Amino acid sequence: MSRPSRQVEGGSSAYGGAQSVKGSMLSFKRLLGVALTFAGVLLANSHGGSAPSQVVVVTLDGAITPAAADYTVRAIRKAADNNAALVVLKLDTPGGLDTSMRSIIKAILASPVPVATFVAPDGARAASAGTYILYASHIAAMAPATNLGAATPVAIGGEEPAEPLREKARKSKDQAQPTSRESLRSKQINDAAAYVRSLAQMRGRNADWAEKAVREAVSLSATEALKLKVIDVVARDVPDLLKQLNGRKLAVHGTELTLNTAGATLVEVEPDTRTRILMVVTNPSVAVILMMIGIYGLLFEFMNPGFVLPGVLGGICLLIALYAFQLLPINYAGIALMLLGIAFIVGEAFMPSFGALGIGGIAALAIGMAVLVDPDTAPGFNIPLTFIAGFVALMSIAIFATAWLALKARRRPVITGREDLQGADAIVLGDFEGEGWARVRGERWRVKSAIPMKEGERARVVGMSGLTLTVEKA
């Protein structure tokens, strides 16, 4: 009886050991599962709470042009592709084109990476289009001694400024209908006011002042903008801005993000070759020079077929100029005046106008360049007066030099034909009485003389009858 008992006890002991090993395995699996879950939570929090510590800095200095818009939009996309934590748009602009401004704003609104527009350095401004970009950004910041505002839109073509329009509106309340120009102007201002108000409401900024900046063209300093909740931060420079933004929570496409900018790596995005070329070409002064080179190159090729190079160079320059004019806010009356001036200058070379066509062409060129771009309609795009003066002076020198050379050529003695032989020296080739032979200008001519001539004597031509020259002793 004792033996079975020992067997049962032994079996019970083995069963208990197996249970303890199984329990240890379960505990190890539970610990491993907890560890993996904890690691997953940490990883999720790291991706959801803070972006990689890389900050992309984009410098936008000057007018908002198609080239500037292309550069900014591609930089924002590149930052998103690289999973940057933040894009800092350093802004200093007098304004620019509405289409270019809206392209930048669309890129900011669609960006998965927060964009902080920073009006810097000290003394910079975010006028006109810059104000809209500042309002559209996730974070609006300014450096001390900077300003923003004056966001009243001005239509291409030189429409009246906002203040005179408001005055006219007050004075014309009794009129039955406003003029078409006033109606168009009112639509533009209302559209701009609604646009900037919608941006302000989306970012939780002062919408009333934004509308006032559009309707009354008012401006604010950095300190005043911070007090009125137009901007979020006043910072000395980019490192100071990143220090203040560290830990700030933002809503990007409905997702709350916490900025982690402490010790972030700054990555400066420089314009590439394509953008640099576009920036140069869309300069109105450069576009005018390209147009002149193109037109004169083609004219030279047409007047002298076979040179090839002037035609090729002229065609390329003219097409580039037309492309630039298509991107710029051009007044077509200015283009017409410039073309008329070129036609007058070319006509001066073929018609005896005694300088009238040349002077008229220079005047048309100067007026055309002056009205080509209105500085009020497109700040930063106007052609400088110094450039116009220099260009007109150069063209004047060329025209007067051409006229002087033509006059000098007119005063030169004739070097061919009957007139050229009058008074020419002759050497008698043989003795003769009445008629004989003589060498004149290296050629053998039949000559006649009233007195006998001997071989080797020098004579002078005094007349010509048919192909016979009349000579006398020199």
Side-chain angles (χ1 to χ4, degrees), residues 41 64 67 79 85 122 131 144 187 189 199-200 245 255 275 277 291 314 333 338 386 396 412 462:
V41 170
I64 306 298
D122 294 351
T131 302
K187 289 179 181 178
I189 291 180
L199 295 175
L245 294 181
T255 303
T275 303
I277 293 174
M291 186 185 77
M338 293 174 63
T386 53
S396 301
R412 287 178 181 173
V462 295

Side-chain angles (χ1 to χ4, degrees), residues 436-452:
W437 295 93
R439 186 177 300 279
V440 181
R441 298 284 174 88
E443 296 178 338
R444 184 183 176 92
W445 283 85
R446 184 76 175 171
V447 297
K448 63 181 179 179
S449 174
I451 60 174

